[in-house]
mmCIF file of all heavy atoms in Angstrom:
data_model
loop_
_atom_site.group_PDB
_atom_site.id
_atom_site.type_symbol
_atom_site.label_atom_id
_atom_site.label_comp_id
_atom_site.label_asym_id
_atom_site.label_seq_id
_atom_site.Cartn_x
_atom_site.Cartn_y
_atom_site.Cartn_z
ATOM 1 N N HIS A 13 5.860 24.118 -2.299
ATOM 2 C CA HIS A 13 6.511 24.958 -3.282
ATOM 3 C C HIS A 13 6.660 26.380 -2.799
ATOM 4 O O HIS A 13 6.956 27.263 -3.573
ATOM 5 C CB HIS A 13 5.726 24.920 -4.592
ATOM 6 C CG HIS A 13 5.694 23.541 -5.166
ATOM 7 N ND1 HIS A 13 6.833 22.804 -5.359
ATOM 8 C CD2 HIS A 13 4.666 22.754 -5.531
ATOM 9 C CE1 HIS A 13 6.493 21.607 -5.836
ATOM 10 N NE2 HIS A 13 5.192 21.550 -5.955
ATOM 11 N N ARG A 65 13.369 32.817 3.865
ATOM 12 C CA ARG A 65 14.652 32.130 3.784
ATOM 13 C C ARG A 65 15.495 32.757 2.684
ATOM 14 O O ARG A 65 14.972 33.054 1.601
ATOM 15 C CB ARG A 65 14.412 30.653 3.492
ATOM 16 C CG ARG A 65 15.579 29.745 3.741
ATOM 17 C CD ARG A 65 15.122 28.295 3.770
ATOM 18 N NE ARG A 65 14.984 27.771 2.432
ATOM 19 C CZ ARG A 65 15.525 26.639 1.996
ATOM 20 N NH1 ARG A 65 16.263 25.934 2.789
ATOM 21 N NH2 ARG A 65 15.315 26.215 0.779
ATOM 22 N N PRO A 71 27.719 36.580 -3.090
ATOM 23 C CA PRO A 71 28.115 36.130 -4.433
ATOM 24 C C PRO A 71 29.543 35.584 -4.492
ATOM 25 O O PRO A 71 29.860 34.785 -5.356
ATOM 26 C CB PRO A 71 27.988 37.399 -5.283
ATOM 27 C CG PRO A 71 27.056 38.280 -4.533
ATOM 28 C CD PRO A 71 27.272 37.962 -3.080
ATOM 29 N N GLN A 87 11.057 38.537 2.837
ATOM 30 C CA GLN A 87 10.216 37.426 2.382
ATOM 31 C C GLN A 87 9.193 37.045 3.445
ATOM 32 O O GLN A 87 8.018 36.804 3.154
ATOM 33 C CB GLN A 87 11.092 36.225 2.030
ATOM 34 C CG GLN A 87 10.335 35.125 1.326
ATOM 35 C CD GLN A 87 11.195 33.909 1.059
ATOM 36 O OE1 GLN A 87 11.743 33.311 1.975
ATOM 37 N NE2 GLN A 87 11.310 33.536 -0.194
ATOM 38 N N ARG A 91 5.116 37.293 3.143
ATOM 39 C CA ARG A 91 4.254 36.106 3.292
ATOM 40 C C ARG A 91 3.265 36.281 4.431
ATOM 41 O O ARG A 91 2.195 35.680 4.407
ATOM 42 C CB ARG A 91 5.131 34.880 3.537
ATOM 43 C CG ARG A 91 5.888 34.549 2.290
ATOM 44 C CD ARG A 91 6.582 33.265 2.343
ATOM 45 N NE ARG A 91 6.987 32.946 0.960
ATOM 46 C CZ ARG A 91 7.906 32.102 0.654
ATOM 47 N NH1 ARG A 91 8.513 31.459 1.595
ATOM 48 N NH2 ARG A 91 8.209 31.868 -0.615
ATOM 49 N N GLU A 153 54.205 14.441 26.485
ATOM 50 C CA GLU A 153 54.222 14.589 25.027
ATOM 51 C C GLU A 153 52.977 13.970 24.408
ATOM 52 O O GLU A 153 52.458 14.485 23.411
ATOM 53 C CB GLU A 153 55.478 13.950 24.431
ATOM 54 C CG GLU A 153 56.659 14.898 24.339
ATOM 55 C CD GLU A 153 56.381 16.064 23.413
ATOM 56 O OE1 GLU A 153 56.218 15.865 22.191
ATOM 57 O OE2 GLU A 153 56.286 17.214 23.905
ATOM 58 N N ALA A 163 43.141 20.185 18.325
ATOM 59 C CA ALA A 163 42.890 21.625 18.211
ATOM 60 C C ALA A 163 41.588 22.012 18.913
ATOM 61 O O ALA A 163 40.689 22.584 18.282
ATOM 62 C CB ALA A 163 42.859 22.058 16.743
ATOM 63 N N ASP A 165 38.898 24.070 21.225
ATOM 64 C CA ASP A 165 38.706 25.471 21.591
ATOM 65 C C ASP A 165 38.926 25.665 23.087
ATOM 66 O O ASP A 165 39.326 26.742 23.529
ATOM 67 C CB ASP A 165 37.284 25.919 21.225
ATOM 68 C CG ASP A 165 37.045 25.835 19.733
ATOM 69 O OD1 ASP A 165 37.729 26.563 18.988
ATOM 70 O OD2 ASP A 165 36.194 25.033 19.300
ATOM 71 N N HIS A 182 48.279 19.301 38.125
ATOM 72 C CA HIS A 182 49.160 20.467 38.110
ATOM 73 C C HIS A 182 50.191 20.336 36.998
ATOM 74 O O HIS A 182 50.490 21.287 36.265
ATOM 75 C CB HIS A 182 49.854 20.606 39.477
ATOM 76 C CG HIS A 182 50.750 21.801 39.588
ATOM 77 N ND1 HIS A 182 52.093 21.758 39.249
ATOM 78 C CD2 HIS A 182 50.502 23.073 39.994
ATOM 79 C CE1 HIS A 182 52.632 22.944 39.449
ATOM 80 N NE2 HIS A 182 51.691 23.774 39.907
ATOM 81 N N ARG A 183 50.725 19.162 36.865
ATOM 82 C CA ARG A 183 51.734 18.884 35.826
ATOM 83 C C ARG A 183 51.147 19.099 34.434
ATOM 84 O O ARG A 183 51.812 19.637 33.536
ATOM 85 C CB ARG A 183 52.194 17.445 36.002
ATOM 86 C CG ARG A 183 53.380 16.978 35.202
ATOM 87 C CD ARG A 183 53.848 15.644 35.788
ATOM 88 N NE ARG A 183 54.811 15.006 34.924
ATOM 89 C CZ ARG A 183 54.517 14.038 34.036
ATOM 90 N NH1 ARG A 183 53.280 13.606 33.910
ATOM 91 N NH2 ARG A 183 55.462 13.512 33.283
ATOM 92 N N GLU A 186 50.677 22.806 33.748
ATOM 93 C CA GLU A 186 51.979 23.385 33.436
ATOM 94 C C GLU A 186 52.384 23.049 32.003
ATOM 95 O O GLU A 186 52.855 23.918 31.253
ATOM 96 C CB GLU A 186 53.018 22.838 34.420
ATOM 97 C CG GLU A 186 54.432 23.388 34.194
ATOM 98 C CD GLU A 186 55.428 22.749 35.145
ATOM 99 O OE1 GLU A 186 55.775 21.564 34.956
ATOM 100 O OE2 GLU A 186 55.873 23.446 36.084
ATOM 101 N N GLY A 191 53.477 24.534 26.975
ATOM 102 C CA GLY A 191 53.591 23.891 25.671
ATOM 103 C C GLY A 191 53.012 24.712 24.538
ATOM 104 O O GLY A 191 53.532 24.715 23.433
ATOM 105 N N VAL A 281 7.500 12.130 28.015
ATOM 106 C CA VAL A 281 7.875 11.066 27.082
ATOM 107 C C VAL A 281 9.385 11.116 26.860
ATOM 108 O O VAL A 281 10.032 12.100 27.185
ATOM 109 C CB VAL A 281 7.166 11.225 25.719
ATOM 110 C CG1 VAL A 281 5.673 10.948 25.849
ATOM 111 C CG2 VAL A 281 7.393 12.597 25.126
ATOM 112 N N HIS A 348 33.055 12.989 -6.003
ATOM 113 C CA HIS A 348 32.745 14.200 -6.761
ATOM 114 C C HIS A 348 31.583 14.946 -6.117
ATOM 115 O O HIS A 348 31.591 16.172 -5.986
ATOM 116 C CB HIS A 348 32.393 13.835 -8.204
ATOM 117 C CG HIS A 348 32.074 15.019 -9.061
ATOM 118 N ND1 HIS A 348 33.046 15.874 -9.550
ATOM 119 C CD2 HIS A 348 30.896 15.524 -9.489
ATOM 120 C CE1 HIS A 348 32.484 16.831 -10.252
ATOM 121 N NE2 HIS A 348 31.179 16.651 -10.244
ATOM 122 N N ARG A 351 32.775 16.827 -3.151
ATOM 123 C CA ARG A 351 33.469 18.075 -3.512
ATOM 124 C C ARG A 351 32.460 19.161 -3.863
ATOM 125 O O ARG A 351 32.597 20.320 -3.477
ATOM 126 C CB ARG A 351 34.398 17.834 -4.701
ATOM 127 C CG ARG A 351 35.561 16.919 -4.388
ATOM 128 C CD ARG A 351 36.325 16.536 -5.646
ATOM 129 N NE ARG A 351 37.196 15.409 -5.382
ATOM 130 C CZ ARG A 351 37.340 14.344 -6.186
ATOM 131 N NH1 ARG A 351 36.659 14.279 -7.321
ATOM 132 N NH2 ARG A 351 38.156 13.370 -5.865
ATOM 133 N N ALA A 355 31.949 23.103 -2.731
ATOM 134 C CA ALA A 355 32.090 24.138 -3.754
ATOM 135 C C ALA A 355 30.792 24.906 -3.964
ATOM 136 O O ALA A 355 30.804 26.112 -4.205
ATOM 137 C CB ALA A 355 32.549 23.514 -5.069
ATOM 138 N N PRO A 361 19.524 18.909 -5.283
ATOM 139 C CA PRO A 361 19.383 17.711 -6.114
ATOM 140 C C PRO A 361 18.411 17.995 -7.249
ATOM 141 O O PRO A 361 17.259 18.360 -6.998
ATOM 142 C CB PRO A 361 18.809 16.665 -5.155
ATOM 143 C CG PRO A 361 18.786 17.278 -3.808
ATOM 144 C CD PRO A 361 18.888 18.757 -3.969
ATOM 145 N N GLU A 362 18.891 17.847 -8.492
ATOM 146 C CA GLU A 362 18.021 18.131 -9.629
ATOM 147 C C GLU A 362 17.153 16.928 -9.979
ATOM 148 O O GLU A 362 15.988 17.067 -10.327
ATOM 149 C CB GLU A 362 18.866 18.522 -10.854
ATOM 150 C CG GLU A 362 19.476 19.906 -10.753
ATOM 151 C CD GLU A 362 20.240 20.291 -12.017
ATOM 152 O OE1 GLU A 362 20.242 19.492 -12.979
ATOM 153 O OE2 GLU A 362 20.828 21.378 -12.050
ATOM 154 N N ASP A 401 9.957 7.299 22.841
ATOM 155 C CA ASP A 401 8.553 7.417 22.452
ATOM 156 C C ASP A 401 8.382 8.253 21.199
ATOM 157 O O ASP A 401 7.449 8.033 20.426
ATOM 158 C CB ASP A 401 7.748 8.081 23.579
ATOM 159 C CG ASP A 401 7.852 7.305 24.869
ATOM 160 O OD1 ASP A 401 7.508 6.107 24.855
ATOM 161 O OD2 ASP A 401 8.285 7.888 25.883
ATOM 162 N N ARG A 415 8.777 14.926 -0.368
ATOM 163 C CA ARG A 415 7.710 14.045 0.110
ATOM 164 C C ARG A 415 8.032 13.672 1.551
ATOM 165 O O ARG A 415 9.152 13.237 1.865
ATOM 166 C CB ARG A 415 7.627 12.765 -0.733
ATOM 167 C CG ARG A 415 7.250 13.011 -2.189
ATOM 168 C CD ARG A 415 6.995 11.715 -2.922
ATOM 169 N NE ARG A 415 6.684 11.960 -4.330
ATOM 170 C CZ ARG A 415 6.169 11.059 -5.159
ATOM 171 N NH1 ARG A 415 5.908 9.830 -4.710
ATOM 172 N NH2 ARG A 415 5.918 11.364 -6.425
ATOM 173 N N ALA A 440 9.117 23.469 9.644
ATOM 174 C CA ALA A 440 9.406 24.892 9.432
ATOM 175 C C ALA A 440 10.804 25.269 9.925
ATOM 176 O O ALA A 440 11.121 26.454 9.980
ATOM 177 C CB ALA A 440 8.359 25.749 10.143
ATOM 178 N N THR A 540 -4.156 -4.083 22.308
ATOM 179 C CA THR A 540 -5.132 -3.078 21.911
ATOM 180 C C THR A 540 -4.836 -1.852 22.743
ATOM 181 O O THR A 540 -5.202 -1.796 23.922
ATOM 182 C CB THR A 540 -6.562 -3.557 22.201
ATOM 183 O OG1 THR A 540 -6.812 -4.745 21.480
ATOM 184 C CG2 THR A 540 -7.570 -2.491 21.792
ATOM 185 N N GLU A 600 13.040 18.627 -20.587
ATOM 186 C CA GLU A 600 12.612 19.508 -21.673
ATOM 187 C C GLU A 600 12.457 18.696 -22.941
ATOM 188 O O GLU A 600 13.286 17.860 -23.238
ATOM 189 C CB GLU A 600 13.660 20.588 -21.920
ATOM 190 C CG GLU A 600 14.244 21.189 -20.653
ATOM 191 C CD GLU A 600 13.199 21.967 -19.873
ATOM 192 O OE1 GLU A 600 12.264 22.489 -20.486
ATOM 193 O OE2 GLU A 600 13.328 22.039 -18.648
ATOM 194 N N ALA B 6 -5.938 -9.339 22.399
ATOM 195 C CA ALA B 6 -5.988 -9.006 23.826
ATOM 196 C C ALA B 6 -6.848 -7.763 23.984
ATOM 197 O O ALA B 6 -6.734 -6.816 23.210
ATOM 198 C CB ALA B 6 -4.590 -8.747 24.339
ATOM 199 N N LEU B 15 7.560 0.618 26.706
ATOM 200 C CA LEU B 15 7.164 1.475 25.605
ATOM 201 C C LEU B 15 5.859 1.037 24.969
ATOM 202 O O LEU B 15 5.014 1.859 24.614
ATOM 203 C CB LEU B 15 8.286 1.469 24.557
ATOM 204 C CG LEU B 15 8.038 2.299 23.316
ATOM 205 C CD1 LEU B 15 7.873 3.755 23.678
ATOM 206 C CD2 LEU B 15 9.177 2.132 22.355
ATOM 207 N N LEU B 20 1.378 7.275 22.305
ATOM 208 C CA LEU B 20 1.659 8.663 22.554
ATOM 209 C C LEU B 20 0.513 9.534 22.142
ATOM 210 O O LEU B 20 -0.048 9.374 21.089
ATOM 211 C CB LEU B 20 2.911 9.032 21.763
ATOM 212 C CG LEU B 20 3.583 10.305 22.154
ATOM 213 C CD1 LEU B 20 4.027 10.220 23.587
ATOM 214 C CD2 LEU B 20 4.775 10.527 21.257
ATOM 215 N N PRO B 29 3.515 26.535 8.805
ATOM 216 C CA PRO B 29 4.184 26.971 7.581
ATOM 217 C C PRO B 29 5.481 26.216 7.381
ATOM 218 O O PRO B 29 6.304 26.149 8.266
ATOM 219 C CB PRO B 29 4.458 28.460 7.832
ATOM 220 C CG PRO B 29 4.394 28.625 9.303
ATOM 221 C CD PRO B 29 3.478 27.586 9.826
ATOM 222 N N PRO B 32 10.119 27.757 3.348
ATOM 223 C CA PRO B 32 9.985 27.956 1.908
ATOM 224 C C PRO B 32 11.316 27.734 1.222
ATOM 225 O O PRO B 32 12.362 27.775 1.856
ATOM 226 C CB PRO B 32 9.584 29.432 1.795
ATOM 227 C CG PRO B 32 10.228 30.057 2.980
ATOM 228 C CD PRO B 32 10.214 29.020 4.069
ATOM 229 N N ALA B 35 14.749 32.277 -1.384
ATOM 230 C CA ALA B 35 14.420 33.229 -2.435
ATOM 231 C C ALA B 35 15.609 34.133 -2.671
ATOM 232 O O ALA B 35 15.766 35.130 -1.999
ATOM 233 C CB ALA B 35 13.227 34.059 -2.031
ATOM 234 N N ARG B 43 26.525 33.059 -8.168
ATOM 235 C CA ARG B 43 27.629 34.001 -8.083
ATOM 236 C C ARG B 43 28.245 34.193 -9.461
ATOM 237 O O ARG B 43 28.198 33.295 -10.293
ATOM 238 C CB ARG B 43 28.677 33.521 -7.105
ATOM 239 C CG ARG B 43 29.110 32.100 -7.285
ATOM 240 C CD ARG B 43 30.108 31.722 -6.217
ATOM 241 N NE ARG B 43 29.994 30.327 -5.852
ATOM 242 C CZ ARG B 43 30.799 29.721 -4.994
ATOM 243 N NH1 ARG B 43 31.729 30.386 -4.380
ATOM 244 N NH2 ARG B 43 30.645 28.454 -4.711
ATOM 245 N N ARG B 86 54.586 24.211 18.627
ATOM 246 C CA ARG B 86 54.326 23.677 19.939
ATOM 247 C C ARG B 86 55.625 23.340 20.646
ATOM 248 O O ARG B 86 56.517 22.728 20.086
ATOM 249 C CB ARG B 86 53.462 22.431 19.789
ATOM 250 C CG ARG B 86 52.683 22.087 21.027
ATOM 251 C CD ARG B 86 53.093 20.845 21.691
ATOM 252 N NE ARG B 86 53.132 19.662 20.873
ATOM 253 C CZ ARG B 86 53.901 18.624 21.227
ATOM 254 N NH1 ARG B 86 54.642 18.686 22.310
ATOM 255 N NH2 ARG B 86 53.902 17.545 20.485
ATOM 256 N N THR B 87 55.735 23.778 21.910
ATOM 257 C CA THR B 87 56.914 23.476 22.709
ATOM 258 C C THR B 87 56.912 21.994 23.082
ATOM 259 O O THR B 87 55.867 21.425 23.380
ATOM 260 C CB THR B 87 56.888 24.337 23.979
ATOM 261 O OG1 THR B 87 56.976 25.708 23.591
ATOM 262 C CG2 THR B 87 58.026 23.993 24.912
ATOM 263 N N ALA B 89 57.778 18.934 25.546
ATOM 264 C CA ALA B 89 57.950 18.710 26.988
ATOM 265 C C ALA B 89 58.764 17.430 27.185
ATOM 266 O O ALA B 89 58.347 16.360 26.757
ATOM 267 C CB ALA B 89 56.585 18.567 27.654
ATOM 268 N N ASP B 91 60.416 14.833 29.785
ATOM 269 C CA ASP B 91 60.284 14.407 31.173
ATOM 270 C C ASP B 91 61.654 13.956 31.687
ATOM 271 O O ASP B 91 62.010 12.773 31.625
ATOM 272 C CB ASP B 91 59.255 13.288 31.271
ATOM 273 C CG ASP B 91 58.878 12.972 32.717
ATOM 274 O OD1 ASP B 91 59.546 13.483 33.637
ATOM 275 O OD2 ASP B 91 57.911 12.206 32.911
ATOM 276 N N SER B 147 60.908 22.797 34.941
ATOM 277 C CA SER B 147 59.948 22.781 36.043
ATOM 278 C C SER B 147 60.587 22.268 37.328
ATOM 279 O O SER B 147 61.043 21.119 37.381
ATOM 280 C CB SER B 147 58.760 21.895 35.663
ATOM 281 O OG SER B 147 57.924 21.692 36.794
ATOM 282 N N HIS B 150 58.127 19.354 38.650
ATOM 283 C CA HIS B 150 57.930 18.079 37.968
ATOM 284 C C HIS B 150 59.145 17.618 37.167
ATOM 285 O O HIS B 150 59.122 16.536 36.598
ATOM 286 C CB HIS B 150 56.717 18.179 37.031
ATOM 287 C CG HIS B 150 55.475 18.613 37.730
ATOM 288 N ND1 HIS B 150 54.817 17.815 38.653
ATOM 289 C CD2 HIS B 150 54.775 19.771 37.674
ATOM 290 C CE1 HIS B 150 53.775 18.471 39.123
ATOM 291 N NE2 HIS B 150 53.724 19.663 38.555
ATOM 292 N N ASP B 259 42.199 16.145 -1.904
ATOM 293 C CA ASP B 259 40.825 16.304 -1.437
ATOM 294 C C ASP B 259 40.767 16.889 -0.024
ATOM 295 O O ASP B 259 39.916 17.717 0.287
ATOM 296 C CB ASP B 259 40.091 14.961 -1.448
ATOM 297 C CG ASP B 259 39.528 14.639 -2.822
ATOM 298 O OD1 ASP B 259 39.299 15.600 -3.594
ATOM 299 O OD2 ASP B 259 39.306 13.462 -3.131
ATOM 300 N N ARG B 271 44.768 27.182 13.010
ATOM 301 C CA ARG B 271 45.018 27.490 14.411
ATOM 302 C C ARG B 271 46.376 27.000 14.861
ATOM 303 O O ARG B 271 47.109 27.693 15.533
ATOM 304 C CB ARG B 271 43.942 26.841 15.282
ATOM 305 C CG ARG B 271 44.166 27.029 16.756
ATOM 306 C CD ARG B 271 43.557 25.870 17.531
ATOM 307 N NE ARG B 271 42.162 25.743 17.205
ATOM 308 C CZ ARG B 271 41.217 26.461 17.814
ATOM 309 N NH1 ARG B 271 41.534 27.313 18.731
ATOM 310 N NH2 ARG B 271 39.964 26.306 17.494
ATOM 311 N N TRP B 272 46.707 25.782 14.520
ATOM 312 C CA TRP B 272 47.948 25.208 14.987
ATOM 313 C C TRP B 272 49.030 25.272 13.938
ATOM 314 O O TRP B 272 49.960 24.507 13.942
ATOM 315 C CB TRP B 272 47.722 23.751 15.406
ATOM 316 C CG TRP B 272 46.681 23.601 16.445
ATOM 317 C CD1 TRP B 272 45.478 22.999 16.299
ATOM 318 C CD2 TRP B 272 46.727 24.085 17.787
ATOM 319 N NE1 TRP B 272 44.778 23.065 17.473
ATOM 320 C CE2 TRP B 272 45.515 23.721 18.406
ATOM 321 C CE3 TRP B 272 47.671 24.787 18.527
ATOM 322 C CZ2 TRP B 272 45.210 24.035 19.725
ATOM 323 C CZ3 TRP B 272 47.383 25.090 19.841
ATOM 324 C CH2 TRP B 272 46.164 24.720 20.415
ATOM 325 N N GLU B 353 26.631 20.187 -15.352
ATOM 326 C CA GLU B 353 27.790 20.817 -14.721
ATOM 327 C C GLU B 353 28.914 21.017 -15.723
ATOM 328 O O GLU B 353 29.275 20.102 -16.468
ATOM 329 C CB GLU B 353 28.295 19.931 -13.575
ATOM 330 C CG GLU B 353 29.488 20.508 -12.821
ATOM 331 C CD GLU B 353 30.145 19.480 -11.922
ATOM 332 O OE1 GLU B 353 29.522 18.450 -11.621
ATOM 333 O OE2 GLU B 353 31.316 19.699 -11.542
ATOM 334 N N ARG B 368 9.177 23.152 -10.055
ATOM 335 C CA ARG B 368 9.462 21.853 -9.450
ATOM 336 C C ARG B 368 10.400 21.071 -10.364
ATOM 337 O O ARG B 368 10.076 20.764 -11.503
ATOM 338 C CB ARG B 368 8.157 21.092 -9.237
ATOM 339 C CG ARG B 368 8.317 19.970 -8.229
ATOM 340 C CD ARG B 368 6.997 19.569 -7.627
ATOM 341 N NE ARG B 368 6.300 18.585 -8.438
ATOM 342 C CZ ARG B 368 5.463 17.682 -7.938
ATOM 343 N NH1 ARG B 368 5.227 17.664 -6.652
ATOM 344 N NH2 ARG B 368 4.848 16.837 -8.725
ATOM 345 N N SER B 371 13.438 16.153 -9.220
ATOM 346 C CA SER B 371 13.546 15.607 -7.863
ATOM 347 C C SER B 371 12.353 16.002 -7.004
ATOM 348 O O SER B 371 12.236 15.584 -5.864
ATOM 349 C CB SER B 371 14.838 16.124 -7.199
ATOM 350 O OG SER B 371 14.813 17.541 -7.132
ATOM 351 N N GLU B 372 11.478 16.845 -7.547
ATOM 352 C CA GLU B 372 10.308 17.397 -6.867
ATOM 353 C C GLU B 372 10.676 18.498 -5.877
ATOM 354 O O GLU B 372 9.813 18.988 -5.151
ATOM 355 C CB GLU B 372 9.474 16.308 -6.176
ATOM 356 C CG GLU B 372 8.880 15.310 -7.161
ATOM 357 C CD GLU B 372 7.945 14.313 -6.502
ATOM 358 O OE1 GLU B 372 8.138 14.002 -5.323
ATOM 359 O OE2 GLU B 372 7.030 13.859 -7.197
ATOM 360 N N GLN B 387 17.610 22.832 -24.226
ATOM 361 C CA GLN B 387 17.207 23.872 -23.272
ATOM 362 C C GLN B 387 16.801 23.204 -21.975
ATOM 363 O O GLN B 387 16.082 22.197 -21.986
ATOM 364 C CB GLN B 387 16.007 24.664 -23.833
ATOM 365 C CG GLN B 387 16.446 25.804 -24.736
ATOM 366 C CD GLN B 387 15.280 26.715 -25.110
ATOM 367 O OE1 GLN B 387 14.851 26.733 -26.238
ATOM 368 N NE2 GLN B 387 14.786 27.447 -24.139
ATOM 369 N N HIS B 389 15.667 23.781 -17.681
ATOM 370 C CA HIS B 389 15.406 24.600 -16.507
ATOM 371 C C HIS B 389 16.402 24.170 -15.443
ATOM 372 O O HIS B 389 16.426 22.996 -15.067
ATOM 373 C CB HIS B 389 13.982 24.369 -15.996
ATOM 374 C CG HIS B 389 12.933 24.996 -16.855
ATOM 375 N ND1 HIS B 389 12.103 24.273 -17.681
ATOM 376 C CD2 HIS B 389 12.606 26.301 -17.021
ATOM 377 C CE1 HIS B 389 11.295 25.111 -18.319
ATOM 378 N NE2 HIS B 389 11.589 26.346 -17.942
ATOM 379 N N HIS B 394 22.642 27.074 -9.302
ATOM 380 C CA HIS B 394 23.628 26.302 -10.044
ATOM 381 C C HIS B 394 24.248 27.106 -11.187
ATOM 382 O O HIS B 394 25.081 26.580 -11.923
ATOM 383 C CB HIS B 394 22.998 25.029 -10.622
ATOM 384 C CG HIS B 394 22.628 24.016 -9.583
ATOM 385 N ND1 HIS B 394 22.081 22.783 -9.904
ATOM 386 C CD2 HIS B 394 22.722 24.040 -8.246
ATOM 387 C CE1 HIS B 394 21.854 22.108 -8.791
ATOM 388 N NE2 HIS B 394 22.236 22.863 -7.775
#
Side-chain angles (χ1 to χ4, degrees):
Chain A
H13 298 308
R65 196 165 81 129
Q87 190 183 58
R91 290 190 166 161
E153 271 297 294
D165 298 297
H182 182 270
R183 189 167 169 262
E186 180 183 73
V281 291
H348 181 76
R351 293 171 195 136
E362 287 183 3
D401 302 303
R415 296 188 182 194
T540 300
E600 318 294 331
Chain B
L15 179 62
L20 196 61
R43 49 183 147 176
R86 203 247 307 157
T87 296
D91 191 350
S147 171
H150 305 291
D259 276 336
R271 176 208 304 276
W272 303 113
E353 181 193 343
R368 199 158 86 151
S371 60
E372 296 186 331
Q387 274 189 250
H389 286 107
H394 291 182

